[in-house]
Amino acid sequence: MSSPIDVAEEEEQRTPLLHNHDHNAAASTDDIVPSSSSPSNGPDSSPPAAPASNQRLHSLDVFRGLTVALMILVDDAGGAIPSINHSPWFGVTLADFVMPFFLFGVGVSIALVFKRISNKSIATKKVVLRAIKLFILGLVLQGGYFHGRNDLTYGVDVDKIRWLGILQRISIGYLLASMAEIWLVNNDIVDSATAFVKKYYIQWMFAILLCSVYMCLLYGLYVPNWEYEDLSMNLTGYASGTQIVHCEVRGSLEPPCNVVGLIDRVILGEHHLYQHPVYRRTKECSINSPDYGPLPQNAPGWCLAPFDPEGILSSLMAAITCFVGLQFGHILVHFKDQMQRALLWSMLSFPLLIAGYVLELLGVPFCKPLYTLSYMCITAGASGLFLTIIFYIVDIKHFRKPTLLLEWMGMNALIVYALAACDLFPAAVQGFYWHSPENNLVDGTELLLQAMIHSEKWGTLVFVMLEILFWSIVAGFLHMKGIYLKL
């Protein structure tokens, strides 16, 4: 799984997971509300505002669909094309933008859902319930119960279940951003830039507080030596037993001695972390780096240690991406001119991109597993910029036909995420095989394409593109039938 989505969950969440789809209600909402897949009767029980125009925001669905499509691409083709797979540790690749896209979309949706709140207590209860459902769904899909493609077994030892994951991270971001939108907003009428700042400045202070807590812990907490039980010792040439990792440092961002891993090991326990961390593709841990491979000679002992890319501490910084999306959503709510919206979004996106690069130059590296501040800035800025471009194409210039497949996928992103990105559908199809499990429709189709193109890499890429096309058509069929999965 992509450590977004790895969908999310993302989330990521994508925010493929947080819509309360109501096709009929959406038809009567104003132009700031996303198209039929977007929440029009969210946790706030107030009725939608009177329509300001007949135009609806289709670009947000396209943005969600693009995020899910990217997740499928990097998950299923990343093994054949390591350059698009997650960066082994430091750096940013295509796959590393998926999780922030999910979280950013969550924030935008929250601003639209909570335009008007008639009862804050009721809204809070519904938000908490939705966050719990999302967390549980992530636990089921990513906790280890489903073993995924190429493994026809299922089940998980609860003593080793993975507590965190993409959807769990999206649920945390959703909960924090929603609580801020319900309780940390002044009742001022926005009729100027000053009023806009006055209405939401408490939210920004809360986001800065979360960021400060993260930075203080990341660079200030002492990381002692630690040990873990290596369950793969006999297969890798090491002596079976316990490995000791020597640290005794502060402020390290390297794989073995960072605070993110320390907090997860102390609170969750090593058996409840992700057992195949991305740093196994680093040069220290793989002779095929940046792809997985056998351990090099004299590889450090931490190469086989567990690490969760959706850890507790890093989820605080990840939630900031939701807050950035929330401000983009506020612009949709308070500014009605389409070009003005695009201009304001650009004015927010470019400073974030610049800030990310400046922080990287100052010594804060891009690192998705740690969700460093520089990584948050550059990916949040890219999220805003991509949404701005899509908004200009789809909602300002009305070029919807070229993006219709992505829009369909965004309307039912939760279904696509669960069935495709979490491998439920491919695993089910592989359950029907001829004589041996390897002879199944999924693997057979991919091998056939590789043979026709005479390339494993390009054959896999074509297979994944056809997979994305298939799911967009499925999503389109569900849309035509008025079927939307609610959470």
Side-chain angles (χ1 to χ4, degrees), residues 180-237:
E181 188 69 359
I182 293 171
W183 296 102
L184 303 182
V185 175
N186 292 322
N187 294 324
D188 302 78
I189 297 176
V190 176
D191 52 7
S192 66
T194 303
F196 184 88
V197 173
K198 186 177 180 181
K199 185 177 182 67
Y200 296 112
Y201 82 94
I202 301 178
Q203 282 187 359
W204 302 347
M205 292 176 62
F206 180 64
I208 292 173
L209 176 62
L210 291 179
C211 184
S212 300
V213 170
Y214 167 88
M215 295 294 287
C216 289
L217 292 175
L218 183 67
Y219 286 99
L221 202 61
Y222 176 76
V223 181
N225 297 335
W226 56 281
E227 61 183 37
Y228 73 96
E229 181 183 358
D230 188 350
L231 302 179
S232 304
M233 294 292 187
N234 293 330
L235 300 177
T236 61

Side-chain angles (χ1 to χ4, degrees), residues 160 226-245 270-271 275-277 279-280 295 299-306:
K160 299 178 181 179
W226 56 281
E227 61 183 37
Y228 73 96
E229 181 183 358
D230 188 350
L231 302 179
S232 304
M233 294 292 187
N234 293 330
L235 300 177
T236 61
Y238 284 98
S240 182
T242 299
Q243 283 282 355
I244 298 177
V245 181
E270 66 174 81
H271 293 305
Q275 300 297 314
H276 305 283
Y279 58 63
R280 293 192 183 181
L295 289 171
W302 53 261
C303 284
L304 299 176

Side-chain angles (χ1 to χ4, degrees), residues 300-320:
W302 53 261
C303 284
L304 299 176
F307 178 87
D308 208 303
E310 282 79 45
I312 297 173
L313 181 60
S314 58
S315 292
L316 290 183
M317 183 61 74
I320 306 299

Side-chain angles (χ1 to χ4, degrees), residues 451-477:
M452 292 174 60
I453 300 177
H454 304 289
S455 171
E456 179 180 350
K457 178 175 71 174
W458 294 108
T460 298
L461 182 60
V462 171
F463 173 80
V464 174
M465 297 306 294
L466 291 175
E467 181 183 4
I468 293 173
L469 177 61
F470 169 78
W471 285 111
S472 64
I473 293 174
V474 170
F477 173 78

Side-chain angles (χ1 to χ4, degrees), residues 358-374:
V358 170
L359 286 168
E360 202 272 340
L361 292 174
L362 293 176
V364 182
F366 302 135
C367 184
K368 189 265 178 186
L370 300 181
Y371 220 104
T372 55
L373 180 58
S374 58

